[in-house]
Amino acid sequence: MMNDMIQLQSILLPDTDICAVSQLYYHKTGSRIDFNGYFNLFYLEKRKKYTNLQSLSLCVRLQGYRELVLVHNGVDLQTIVLTPEQSQEYEIVFPYERYQEGCFWFALIKEERASQSHISGCYAGEIEQEKFRQVTICVDICTYKREDYVARNLRLLKERLFDKASLDVSKHIKIYVVDNGNTLKDCRPIQELSSLYADKLLIFSNKNAGGAGGFTRGMVEALKAKKEAGFTHILLMDDDAVIEPDALVRIYGFLTMLKEKWKTMTIGGAMLREECPYLLYCAGEWWQNGEIQNPHMDLDLRKLDHAAGRPLTEAGHEYDRYSGWWCCCYSLEVVREDNLPVPLFLHHDDIEYGIRNRRNGIVFLNGIGVWHRGPGEVFPGSNIYYDTRNNLIEIALHQKRKKRRAAGKILFRGLTSAVIRLKYEDVDLVYRGFVDFLKGPGWLYHQNPESLHKEIRNMACRMYSLDELREKLTDREYEDVARQIDFYQKKSVRYGVQNGENRKTRASMIHFLTYNGWMLPADKAGIKVVFPADSPFELFRKKRAVLCENSGRNVYLTKRDYGKLLKIIRVYLKTALLLSCDFGHAVGDYQKQLTEITNQKAWEGYLNLR
């Protein structure tokens, strides 16, 4: 019986075009280099459970190294003597059958007298020919006026995949770019690539229906071309993220080996922080009672015990996780004409779809993901509306028990957080999100998403520049605010992350009993500067505050206002009344009418494609 060898993941090195943090690729000790960084580890447990991989080989071309060592979880297994003087290819077999969990990697011992050194290669796996799965992937990129990001990622995919005919995956991918902003036609680099790779790259102008509308347009087009193009999977990718092209090599290799039980499994993508590229924001979150759970946020992947730790390497949690659409690969047996996303415009579309299809299972692998700006870099603005409305839709569709209680918790916490943050515009956004949820799926489908978005953006808090802030403060006040911003940013650089982790103020009984100090006299001493990830309890008894994005460029001056508080109390009462009287009816509508707005015919109408 003949077997096939499949490239599973490339040996990666630091790259200024993608990521230059060396510890994500290897660690050096003297003349020894262990290729045990996050991107070069080979996870065993997930391969054993989900794939038919039979044997594993390291296929490398080397020069300038005198020894190669095979390693499992820090234990040297075998040493191979090399010929350092000349460039030579090696194929070395790992003892894959002997180990069930942990990680393989390899180490090289440098020949100090060598005039030059070189390394390139991959991990390759063997599988019985009859168990090999034919895979062709449609890469679905949704964009809205992000020409520079899209051009960069397409260039990287061209150089690292399309131009390398030796890579199997290069023959089995097509890229669909859905242009919600209708601006790519004027971007020369993208148009040149589109002409050069007309058989690989297609651009679709689309109605601006947000991320949900853009990604779903790609799904619809992939389903139309499924038979002719041989598509088996669709990979959703954000436009404003930095991708490691080898993610597609890894996705393709993994999919070709899936066991029958897991043939429709989803491959999720990790998010690393673009502003701090060695920090893992998440690799699989889950949703419960209206809340997103992410216990391993901001793992430092430069550390081996994090990159090779159980939270990332263990199999399991296939049915309780979802992946963000910054990088997420679905089977086209899951994405079907009768099973498309809800038209949510943006935010939580990936969560709802992930929950709805979780019975197919999901897996996360090292090196499959993107670098993206961290969610805690800016204040949420108009996203408050979408987070509220769409979270309530998820509760209506997927919360098993005590839906009203979960919804009330989301609503009243959102209103309260807005008040104690002195960010009063958020109160209107939370309430509007609730009211629009109550209008039901029919209203959601028939509203004009772009017009609604403009209206919601006009309701949100508008940040302004430091120069504008200077005009609103005395010189002394401005200097104090500038000092606080400078201190925070220096501290952020020192700790390597701008997430406010070291600034959190925990709520105590006095915070709750006094409504975060609103029932006490205001502390008039100075102006408090708070950042997006700071606890709202930082503003305990504060009379004035400056809300400042992590960049330090955009700010907003606010103050305690009892007149606004009285108006907000009325919003609390109206919310409680609507929750009591109308919530149950809306829940029933969403449950009964979901399929009417998530099928291909409905989406073609929504996007004006017919």
Side-chain angles (χ1 to χ4, degrees):
M1 184 181 299
M2 294 183 62
N3 293 348
D4 285 337
M5 286 288 287
I6 305 297
Q7 180 169 337
L8 300 176
Q9 60 186 62
S10 305
I11 305 304
L12 298 178
L13 298 171
D15 188 327
T16 53
D17 279 340
I18 300 171
C19 177
V21 180
S22 62
Q23 298 97 319
L24 293 181
Y25 303 92
Y26 55 76
H27 297 91
K28 294 180 68 173
T29 306
S31 60
R32 174 168 170 147
I33 307 172
D34 279 90
F35 286 81
N36 57 2
Y38 169 75
F39 285 97
N40 286 321
L41 295 169
F42 190 87
Y43 292 175
L44 291 173
E45 191 172 336
K46 295 178 181 182
R47 304 277 179 176
K48 295 278 185 176
K49 182 171 184 179
Y50 306 126
T51 76
N52 289 307
L53 176 63
Q54 282 189 312
S55 64
L56 177 68
S57 297
L58 178 66
C59 303
V60 287
R61 175 175 286 279
L62 300 170
Q63 183 178 0
Y65 301 94
R66 54 186 169 87
E67 290 180 352
L68 184 150
V69 185
L70 300 185
V71 186
H72 174 259
N73 284 2
V75 178
D76 292 355
L77 305 177
Q78 181 184 356
T79 300
I80 296 94
V81 177
L82 308 174
T83 306
E85 296 81 14
Q86 59 188 22
S87 179
Q88 188 168 328
E89 290 186 354
Y90 301 87
E91 182 177 330
I92 303 159
V93 179
F94 277 92
Y96 179 74
E97 70 286 349
R98 285 168 39 195
Y99 297 92
Q100 301 301 314
E101 59 183 40
C103 301
F104 281 141
W105 69 80
F106 68 97
L108 293 173
I109 311 301
K110 191 171 179 59
E111 175 55 67
E112 300 298 340
R113 294 171 296 178
S115 58
Q116 55 183 333
S117 62
H118 169 79
I119 173 172
S120 62
C122 68
Y123 289 95
E126 193 174 41
I127 183 176
E128 293 178 11
Q129 195 173 58
E130 64 183 21
K131 293 182 179 180
F132 176 81
R133 295 188 180 278
Q134 295 293 335
V135 171
T136 301
I137 302 169
C138 175
V139 180
D140 179 7
I141 300 174
C142 169
T143 185
Y144 181 79
K145 298 182 179 180
R146 297 276 177 77
E147 295 87 350
D148 290 343
Y149 268 103
V150 175
R152 178 180 65 179
N153 283 335
L154 290 180
R155 176 180 60 81
L156 286 172
L157 292 173
K158 168 194 175 295
E159 293 172 355
R160 311 298 170 90
L161 296 181
F162 290 167
D163 291 348
K164 294 189 176 181
S166 60
L167 288 176
D168 284 343
V169 68
S170 67
K171 309 177 190 69
H172 295 278
I173 60 170
K174 282 191 175 183
I175 299 176
Y176 286 2
V177 181
V178 179
D179 181 13
N180 279 357
N182 294 297
T183 56
L184 298 188
K185 61 182 180 294
D186 300 319
C187 181
R188 184 175 176 181
I190 293 175
Q191 290 303 318
E192 288 177 350
L193 285 171
S194 180
S195 298
L196 184 62
Y197 293 97
D199 60 330
K200 291 281 191 181
L201 173 61
L202 294 175
I203 298 174
F204 298 92
S205 294
N206 196 51
K207 170 183 177 180
N208 183 20
F215 282 123
T216 305
R217 173 67 186 276
M219 293 177 181
V220 169
E221 297 297 339
L223 290 171
K224 289 179 180 178
K226 179 180 177 180
K227 186 174 182 180
E228 180 182 352
F231 289 141
T232 60
H233 292 79
I234 186 164
L235 171 63
L236 310 186
M237 279 179 43
D238 263 348
D239 60 341
D240 59 342
V242 178
I243 185 176
E244 165 52 68
D246 201 61
L248 277 87
V249 174
R250 299 174 189 223
I251 290 170
Y252 176 79
F254 194 82
L255 291 175
T256 61
M257 294 191 172
L258 284 175
K259 293 178 179 177
E260 180 67 21
K261 177 182 178 180
W262 303 104
K263 66 179 181 179
T264 60
M265 169 174 260
T266 299
I267 298 182
M271 182 204 285
L272 291 89
R273 288 183 174 271
E274 187 176 6
E275 72 280 4
C276 203
Y278 51 82
L279 288 180
L280 177 71
Y281 178 77
C282 66
E285 300 172 286
W286 66 96
W287 179 93
Q288 185 175 3
N289 298 324
E291 297 184 3
I292 298 171
Q293 309 290 327
N294 183 3
H296 306 300
M297 185 184 295
D298 288 334
L299 283 179
D300 185 344
L301 293 181
R302 294 173 301 179
K303 300 178 180 179
L304 178 60
D305 57 343
H306 288 173
R310 291 290 292 166
L312 297 186
T313 63
E314 66 181 341
H317 300 292
E318 302 94 352
Y319 305 114
D320 58 17
R321 304 290 163 95
Y322 70 87
S323 170
W325 283 355
W326 46 75
C327 180
C328 184
C329 187
Y330 293 106
S331 166
L332 287 184
E333 292 185 34
V334 176
V335 175
R336 305 183 309 273
E337 292 86 346
D338 63 343
N339 185 41
L340 295 173
V342 176
L344 298 177
F345 193 77
L346 54 81
H347 273 228
H348 287 251
D349 40 8
D350 45 12
I351 301 177
E352 191 285 322
Y353 199 69
I355 299 169
R356 196 196 322 166
N357 295 291
R358 59 186 169 188
R359 65 183 177 277
N360 297 284
I362 192 169
V363 63
F364 295 83
L365 297 170
N366 59 314
I368 296 177
V370 298
W371 285 269
H372 200 287
R373 187 176 68 173
E377 289 293 296
V378 298
F379 288 96
S382 60
N383 289 341
I384 292 285
Y385 165 83
Y386 294 103
D387 286 337
T388 302
R389 187 196 69 185
N390 299 347
N391 208 343
L392 293 173
I393 292 173
E394 287 159 4
I395 289 172
L397 293 173
H398 302 297
Q399 179 81 12
K400 292 183 178 178
R401 297 182 301 111
K402 300 179 180 179
K403 296 178 187 287
R404 197 186 312 271
R405 180 177 177 180
K409 185 177 180 180
I410 294 299
L411 290 166
F412 292 116
R413 184 170 61 189
L415 294 172
T416 303
S417 177
V419 176
I420 64 177
R421 239 186 237 280
L422 310 183
K423 197 161 174 271
Y424 307 110
E425 293 85 352
D426 289 359
V427 171
D428 295 330
L429 291 169
V430 170
Y431 183 70
R432 175 66 182 273
F434 180 37
V435 170
D436 284 354
F437 159 80
L438 295 175
K439 295 174 183 176
W443 171 86
L444 182 69
Y445 178 79
H446 289 290
Q447 50 79 36
N448 183 311
E450 189 166 21
S451 297
L452 174 64
H453 186 57
K454 289 179 181 178
E455 184 181 346
I456 297 302
R457 288 187 66 183
N458 288 333
M459 294 173 60
C461 167
R462 290 183 176 273
M463 310 292 280
Y464 41 78
S465 68
L466 280 172
D467 288 339
E468 292 175 273
L469 178 66
R470 183 188 289 272
E471 298 174 1
K472 301 174 186 293
L473 302 176
T474 67
D475 289 344
R476 184 174 181 179
E477 288 172 336
Y478 181 81
E479 289 173 3
D480 180 49
V481 168
R483 179 189 56 78
Q484 292 183 62
I485 294 172
D486 183 63
F487 176 79
Y488 174 73
Q489 292 184 321
K490 286 180 178 178
K491 190 174 183 180
S492 298
V493 171
R494 178 183 174 190
Y495 286 97
V497 60
Q498 295 179 327
N499 67 347
E501 189 76 20
N502 303 293
R503 293 167 50 90
K504 287 288 186 182
T505 296
R506 289 186 174 274
S508 65
M509 188 60 67
I510 191 69
H511 290 92
F512 290 111
L513 292 177
T514 65
Y515 204 60
N516 202 40
W518 275 81
M519 311 305 293
L520 297 173
D523 177 4
K524 301 178 182 179
I527 300 174
K528 177 70 173 177
V529 179
V530 293
F531 295 85
D534 284 345
S535 165
F537 297 107
E538 293 277 351
L539 295 179
F540 178 70
R541 291 185 59 210
K542 297 301 178 185
K543 184 176 182 179
R544 289 196 296 171
V546 168
L547 311 182
C548 180
E549 294 180 354
N550 283 352
S551 66
R553 291 189 293 269
N554 298 317
V555 295
Y556 181 75
L557 178 65
T558 184
K559 65 179 181 178
R560 188 189 294 198
D561 188 325
Y562 285 95
K564 291 182 179 179
L565 178 62
L566 290 176
K567 294 179 181 179
I568 291 166
I569 290 172
R570 289 198 289 270
V571 175
Y572 273 97
L573 296 175
K574 289 192 293 184
T575 300
L577 182 63
L578 290 174
L579 187 64
S580 176
C581 298
D582 296 348
F583 179 76
H585 179 72
V587 167
D589 286 345
Y590 282 100
Q591 292 177 338
K592 294 172 186 175
Q593 299 172 28
L594 176 68
T595 57
E596 296 177 13
I597 62 173
T598 57
N599 63 76
Q600 183 169 328
K601 184 178 179 181
W603 267 101
E604 288 176 347
Y606 184 77
L607 296 175
N608 302 326
L609 301 182
R610 290 203 295 266

